Structure formats: structure tokens, C-alpha cells
Amino acid sequence: MRAVSLVVVLIMLNTATALGVVHNQYQKRLVGIELARVMRDKDILIDKWSQLLVEYAAWSANSRIEKIAVEQLGMKYEYSNYAYLRM
Amino acid sequence: MLDGVIKRQTIWHILIVLLMLLMAFGVSARVVYVHVAKGEFLRNEGERHYKRNIPQHAYRGSIVDRSGTELAISAPSVSVWADPSDLLEDLDGLMKLSRLLGDDFYTLKRKAEKLSGKNFMYIRRQVGPDIATKIKDAKFGIVSTITERKRLYPEGGVFSHIVGIADIDGNGVEGVELAFNDHLQGTDGEISVIRDRLGRSFEVIDTPKVKIDGQNVELSIDRNIQYIGYSELRDAIAHHDAVSGMLVVLDVKRGKVLAMVNYPAYNPNDRGSMVARNIRNRVVTDIFEPGSSIKPFIVAAALESASLDPHERFDVSPGYIRLADKKIKDSRNYKELDVAGVLSRSSNVGIIKIAQRIDDAILADKLRDYGLFSASGIELPGEATGLVVPQPEWGSTYKSFLSFGYGAALSALQLANSYMVLANEGIRRDVSVLNNSSPVRGERVMDAGVARKVVDMLHGVISPEGTGKAADTAAYMVAGKTGTAKKLKNGIYQDHSYVAVFTGLAPVNDPQIVVAVIVDEPRKNGFYGGQVAAPVFSRVVSRVLSYLDVMPDMEKVAAPGAGTSI
């Protein structure tokens, strides 16, 4: 009788373990899908970031600033004690 | 009767068992056949349906200046591709596409015919966002687009020579892009994934090749100082109608390059506008005869090795001297000059007399030690070594010509590096373009006292009587030397073709920067180094030291006539 009970318990444990493996595999695949999505998002964000950096660099280029300072604001370089742009 | 029944049953039992054994054997044989004989083929066939290898493209690192501002960056762009046979089957579509791209229809058709055996051809790589949108909106059935990364250079021509360029596939071909290509490029990777029936990957099962993104390269160049040098050189070249120019700013304390400018520059974002001769980083690759800017080193060598007394006076009358069949002249007859006067008036007669005192072999060694005519150690590709006749082959007049900068040639960077020896009180360092924290290691090549004396003399060059008075600034005490050399073309020195040079350091009391300015073939508004290059030096020093928050020299600020500070 004891032996039969032991076998039943082992069968139940075996079944539970098998279900656990299946569940884990399923979870792993869900996480895999999520990871792939996040990696795609990461690439998109990197691309967007690089575009913003290019835009930032273009807006803040010295040649552009100088052009605006000289042509629109009428500033000029002063080489006295300090070199600076003055109105 | 009973025996007969039992016998028949036994035979049936045996037959059934044999049949089952046979079936089991058949199944086993099939299993062995499937797993062993056809195993690899079937596994591959199975994997083909659910497994896929996906390439992982590594990002190319950015090139940034010392404050972290991007000078070269990879940004996404769209490339247009098609199956050549699709194009040839839909010539109306090809016609519309060629109109949209502004390409010749027949050129595209010929390209498609040439590649008709393949199922892929690029129609246009890395198109602008406007064209990409038009193509997507037009919904051509025959073309597709893919996203690639295009190398962009936000500062355009200002940094073109030092940053260099990468080709359309992201391989460096010039400048830092080439020198640090391995560091920037990284390594592409690959992953194996399992896909579902809709083609969505849901599990990474293997990583056959790990992707390693490229790393950034941080330069010692300062974006603002580079622009100061660029704009001042550009304006000077326009003012003097010169062919080209070079400018270098070095950080004396750390041995780093703060700015390295060539003009004319090229726009690395517009490959169609590039002219081959403008792509070279001439500051590093080209050599020229330095003219009088070499004189401080002749004086230093004489002070170190020939017991020259700085107060000694030299008879320089009648203002010229004959060397071989040539008459070497000063700008006028100064009659008598001390050593400082020889430098401040840039007397050729005086420097020849000083050079005569120095032993040939010692002078050759000293000039090499000071960094003239030898590689600066910079990490950029194609550095020219200087050109100087080996000492045992010096003729009777070579040393005299060499003393005022003829018969030998060096790069702008080597000239600036040599002045850094004077600024560093005799310590010579290799020059670096990388912004790592450790200063470049140095070694003593000149006596500290001699270096200080020569710098004091070079301050006299900026005096109202000196040839470099235009290099003076309102706020800082500076020191430097003019140079004007006739250009050698087809073995003949040209009478109306010059290289104008000014190289110096500032502030005199605690040098922070060395600046070298070289203007090639000025044709208007003067041609002497003191007229053409010295004013550029003055303006660059004023702006750069102010930008670096270096306090003005009190002697200058307190002097009558000095401008008002903000």
C-alpha cells in the first residue's frame, strides 16, 4: 500500500514538473517576444537620438551663430582686452 | 482435441510475437534511417521553416570634440533597391522612378539589364528624407526601401581635414575616420531565432556571433577654437587672395592639438563637391621651407653649444652677404645688432654669422632634437617626415642657407611642435589629437634657461621695431617669429610666389598655447609673414585665450591706449 502511494506521489510530482517545464518554456517565449520588441524600440530610439544630435549640432554650429550675430544682430568682433562679440 | 487447440494457439502466439518483433524492427530501422542516414538533411529542412539567422549590424562610433559635441555621427537614411527583372518588366514604372530621382532612364535601364541575372540592385543609396518620402508615397510596386546608416558631419568643412570621411559602407578613408577605423567600426553579429507561423521571432536560440558596437573617439580638438582658427584663416586668405592656408593651435601644458585647420576645406556631406587636392590634411602631410621662423632654433643651438653671449653684437653691414653666387640681403642695413636684434629684425646676415659658430654635426643633432624635420608622433595618417640634407653631405654653404630656413622643409605641425619646446622651457612632447587624460610624456631637449632667453628675444619680435609687430595683442604678451620664404617651383625660387609664416606662443609669462599660421602664395595686400600671417596670429590668440579664460597680462591692460575690458 505504501509503495502504491509512493508511486502515485511520484507520478503527480512528475506531472507537476512537466507542467512547470511547459509553463517556463511558454514564459520564456513571451519574454523573448518582449525582448525582441524592446530591442527594436532601442534601435528606433538610437536612430532618433542620432537624428536629434545631428539637428542639435546643425543648429548650434559656430558658422550659423556667427552669421546670425553679424548679419541679423549687427555684432562685430572686438579685439581689445578681451575678444568678444559686441553690439 | 484439446492438444490440437493448444498447439494452434501457441503457433498463433508465436506468429503474433514474430509479427510484432518484425514491426518493432521496422520502426527501429526507420528511426535509425531517419536519424542517421537522413538526419542532417531533415534537421536542416525542419529548421528552415522555424529558425532564422538575423544579422545584427554594429553601430559605428561617433567622433566627438573634447567637450563631447558630435563631429561625425551615423544617422539612419533610406536606400532604394529593386529586383532588376521587375524593373525591366515594368518600363513605365521605371520611367516614373527615373523622373522622381532625377536619374537618366536609359542609364537605369542599362544597369538593370547588366544585373538581370541577380535579384537585387541598389537604385540609389542613402537618399535624402524628401526623396525617401516621395518614393514611399508613390507606392512603386517594383522598388523597395531599406534603412541604412549614413555618416554625417554636422560641422561640415570646419573639421573636414582632421575628422576625414568614411565611405558609403562606413569604412574610414581619410583622417580620424581612417586612423581609428577599427575602434569606430565595431563588429557585426548574428543571432538565431525561432519564428512563429507569421514570421515573428519569439525566441533567441543561439548567438553564433556577438555584435560589438563601435566606440566613440574623443578628440582633443575644441570645436570653438577650431572655428576661431577656421574663420580667421578663411578671412585672411580672402583678404590676401592667397592660394591656401594652414593653422595649428597646440595646448602647451598637455601636448594636445586644440585646432588644426586647412583652407580651402571641403564639405564631407557633399561628396560631389570634393576636389582631390583639397582633401589632404596638409598640416600633417605637406612640407614647406620655413624661412626665418627657424631662426630661434639656430640661436638656441648657438646659446647651448657655441658659448654665444646673448648680449654680443654682430656687424651686419652693409646689409647683405654673398653665399656662393647669391646675394643674401636684410631688409635694410642695420649696421650692428645684438642677438635679440638679429631675431627681432630677422637679419639674415646676423643669423648666418651666428650659425657659422656652431659645429655642423652638433647643429644637425640639435635641430632634430628640437623636433624640426622629425615626425611629431601624431596619430593621424600620412604624416610627412621633414626633409633635410644629412649632415655629412652638407656643403660649404648649406648651413648658412639652413640658418634662414632654406634648403630644408617641414610640416606646419612639426614647426608648431618645435615652438612648443620653447614654450615648455625645453621639454619636447609628442603631439596627440586624442583627449585622454594623461598628458603626453616629454623629455628635455633644450636647457630651460636657454629656452626662456629665446622666448624673451621672441617677445622683442612683436615690438614696434620688430618684423612681427602685427602679431601683438591688446591683452596678452606674446612671442613669436615671422617667416617669409620664396616658393621653389621646378627647381627655381620664384620672385613673386611666397609662403608667409608666423609661429608663436602666448602668454609669454606662462605659455598656454602655441599657434602656427602659414599662408600659401598671398597675392594682395602684402606677402611678408609679418603682414599676412602675424595679424591672424594676433586675432586667434586674442580670441582663444579669452575663450579659455586666461587672465590678461596686467602689463598690457595697464598700458596707456589699451582697450576697455567688458
Side-chain angles (χ1 to χ4, degrees):
Chain A
M1 189 61 194
R2 246 180 103 180
V4 172
S5 304
L6 187 64
V7 169
V8 169
V9 168
L10 284 175
I11 287 170
M12 285 170 71
L13 281 175
N14 196 16
T15 308
T17 310
L19 287 172
V21 168
V22 171
H23 180 71
N24 271 346
Q25 185 68 12
Y26 175 68
Q27 288 296 328
K28 183 186 165 192
R29 289 182 173 180
L30 283 184
V31 171
I33 292 168
E34 183 63 13
L35 179 67
R37 192 184 63 75
V38 170
M39 295 297 276
R40 270 198 307 277
D41 286 353
K42 179 191 156 199
D43 285 347
I44 290 168
L45 288 173
I46 287 175
D47 286 348
K48 198 162 253 181
W49 175 238
S50 60
Q51 278 170 333
L52 287 171
L53 285 174
V54 170
E55 209 166 311
Y56 168 79
W59 282 106
S60 64
N62 276 301
S63 52
R64 181 178 168 274
I65 305 289
E66 188 185 41
K67 200 173 171 191
I68 292 171
V70 173
E71 290 179 6
Q72 290 181 23
L73 304 176
M75 297 172 86
K76 62 177 187 175
Y77 275 103
E78 175 65 64
Y79 298 99
S80 58
N81 288 351
Y82 279 101
Y84 60 98
L85 273 168
R86 77 178 213 185
M87 303 288 283
Chain B
M1 179 72 183
L2 191 64
D3 281 354
V5 171
I6 291 168
K7 226 176 216 172
R8 273 202 301 278
Q9 279 183 344
T10 307
I11 289 166
W12 272 110
H13 283 166
I14 289 167
L15 279 173
I16 287 166
V17 168
L18 278 175
L19 190 66
M20 288 178 75
L21 280 174
L22 196 64
M23 283 168 70
F25 177 76
V27 169
S28 302
R30 180 70 186 165
V31 167
V32 170
Y33 174 73
V34 165
H35 276 271
V36 179
K38 299 275 280 183
E40 197 174 335
F41 169 74
L42 292 172
R43 259 195 305 277
N44 289 342
E45 282 298 296
E47 282 181 355
R48 204 163 59 81
H49 288 91
Y50 70 84
K51 186 180 152 188
R52 192 178 168 200
N53 284 356
I54 300 177
Q56 304 278 293
H57 295 296
Y59 287 95
R60 186 173 177 83
S62 297
I63 300 172
V64 300
D65 83 336
R66 66 176 188 159
S67 61
T69 304
E70 273 73 12
L71 307 175
I73 187 167
S74 296
S77 73
V78 170
S79 290
V80 186
W81 69 275
D83 185 331
S85 53
D86 288 349
L87 292 177
L88 295 171
E89 280 171 18
D90 183 2
L91 292 178
D92 284 344
L94 184 60
M95 177 67 84
K96 281 181 201 160
L97 180 69
S98 63
R99 280 194 200 127
L100 199 150
L101 291 172
D103 286 350
D104 178 47
F105 167 76
Y106 293 102
T107 309
L108 269 180
K109 185 167 170 272
R110 270 199 300 277
K111 191 176 170 188
E113 284 167 349
K114 198 174 163 189
L115 296 169
S116 58
K118 300 183 175 172
N119 52 14
F120 180 94
M121 75 173 241
Y122 278 117
I123 293 171
R124 180 83 72 80
R125 290 188 74 180
Q126 301 180 354
V127 297
D130 49 336
I131 293 179
T133 310
K134 278 182 190 168
I135 286 174
K136 279 176 185 166
D137 291 347
K139 292 191 175 132
F140 288 107
I142 50 174
V143 296
S144 305
T145 56
I146 51 170
T147 301
E148 293 186 308
R149 288 197 171 71
K150 184 180 184 179
R151 203 67 168 159
L152 293 173
Y153 304 93
E155 295 283 341
V158 180
F159 279 87
S160 54
H161 293 94
I162 188 156
V163 169
I165 45 172
D167 65 16
I168 201 161
D169 293 315
N171 301 306
V173 289
E174 284 288 342
V176 171
E177 291 272 35
L178 172 63
F180 295 95
N181 191 48
D182 292 343
H183 190 79
L184 288 161
Q185 199 163 37
T187 313
D188 287 347
E190 194 176 68
I191 54 170
S192 301
V193 297
I194 298 177
R195 297 186 304 167
D196 63 12
R197 68 187 177 85
L198 297 174
R200 296 174 303 193
S201 51
F202 60 85
E203 188 179 343
V204 178
I205 51 171
D206 193 14
T207 307
K209 206 171 159 196
V210 178
K211 177 183 91 163
I212 303 168
D213 283 333
Q215 294 175 53
N216 289 358
V217 170
E218 189 177 329
L219 302 182
S220 60
I221 304 286
D222 186 291
R223 179 198 195 201
N224 296 323
I225 296 176
Q226 177 81 6
Y227 185 73
I228 290 170
Y230 178 85
S231 57
E232 293 295 351
L233 187 65
R234 176 197 60 199
D235 294 350
I237 285 172
H239 181 65
H240 294 284
D241 189 24
V243 169
S244 64
M246 299 177 273
L247 186 147
V248 191
V249 182
L250 299 180
D251 177 344
V252 168
K253 306 289 181 196
R254 298 176 66 222
K256 307 283 184 181
V257 181
L258 291 173
M260 183 181 281
V261 182
N262 289 264
Y263 196 87
Y266 64 93
N267 182 357
N269 298 307
D270 179 12
R271 282 152 206 273
S273 70
M274 288 182 195
V275 180
R277 68 172 181 277
N278 289 343
I279 293 176
R280 231 170 40 243
N281 184 359
R282 294 184 300 275
V283 170
V284 175
T285 61
D286 285 17
I287 54 176
F288 60 96
E289 288 174 300
S292 299
S293 50
I294 197 178
K295 286 174 182 170
F297 301 98
I298 304 294
V299 169
L303 287 170
E304 282 201 297
S305 64
S307 311
L308 176 69
D309 177 359
H311 303 294
E312 191 174 340
R313 299 186 72 80
F314 289 86
D315 177 8
V316 295
S317 58
Y320 64 85
I321 193 169
R322 287 201 177 276
L323 280 180
D325 58 340
K326 290 190 168 50
K327 191 176 176 182
I328 308 300
K329 293 186 286 188
D330 286 342
S331 56
R332 67 181 177 85
N333 181 5
Y334 294 110
K335 294 177 184 168
E336 197 179 83
L337 292 169
D338 62 5
V339 180
V342 167
L343 284 180
S344 67
R345 269 68 165 187
S346 201
S347 165
N348 293 331
V349 178
I351 203 72
I352 289 169
K353 291 193 171 182
I354 291 172
Q356 292 306 329
R357 298 239 189 126
I358 314 169
D359 176 77
D360 288 5
I362 291 174
L363 181 61
D365 286 347
K366 288 280 178 197
L367 294 182
R368 195 182 55 244
D369 289 349
Y370 297 159
L372 293 153
F373 317 115
S374 44
S376 69
I378 197 153
E379 302 90 346
L380 296 174
E383 183 181 10
T385 50
L387 191 67
V388 63
V389 174
Q391 185 274 319
E393 296 168 28
W394 287 10
S396 58
T397 57
Y398 184 78
K399 185 168 66 179
S400 300
F401 282 108
L402 180 64
S403 68
F404 56 97
Y406 281 88
L410 77 180
S411 70
L413 186 63
Q414 287 158 10
L415 184 63
N417 193 20
S418 306
Y419 273 75
M420 204 158 67
V421 172
L422 297 173
N424 266 323
E425 298 192 337
I427 304 291
R428 180 182 164 194
R429 292 196 169 97
D430 278 354
V431 180
S432 173
V433 78
L434 293 180
N435 193 34
N436 40 27
S437 53
S438 55
V440 182
R441 205 167 50 82
E443 60 170 328
R444 177 161 298 286
V445 294
M446 186 188 292
D447 179 76
V450 168
R452 277 195 294 272
K453 274 181 199 149
V454 175
V455 169
D456 283 345
M457 291 178 195
L458 290 180
H459 180 51
V461 175
I462 317 299
S463 67
E465 301 79 34
T467 55
K469 56 181 177 287
D472 199 8
T473 71
Y476 302 100
M477 289 168 65
V478 301
K481 184 71 192 79
T482 53
T484 310
K486 286 182 177 180
K487 287 190 75 174
L488 190 65
K489 288 182 182 171
N490 302 321
I492 299 166
Y493 283 104
Q494 306 294 305
D495 278 338
H496 303 291
S497 183
Y498 298 91
V499 176
V501 182
F502 191 92
T503 314
L505 51 96
V508 167
N509 294 330
D510 182 20
Q512 302 291 322
I513 56 170
V514 161
V515 179
V517 182
I518 296 97
V519 178
D520 187 24
E521 288 192 45
R523 291 172 289 208
K524 253 177 32 186
N525 302 319
F527 61 85
Y528 287 113
Q531 295 172 303
V532 177
V536 179
F537 173 90
S538 166
R539 289 193 292 270
V540 168
V541 165
S542 292
R543 290 175 67 180
V544 170
L545 290 184
S546 164
Y547 166 72
L548 293 174
D549 273 339
V550 176
M551 282 298 291
D553 286 306
M554 292 315 291
E555 296 94 320
K556 299 287 281 190
V557 178
T564 49
S565 61
I566 51 173

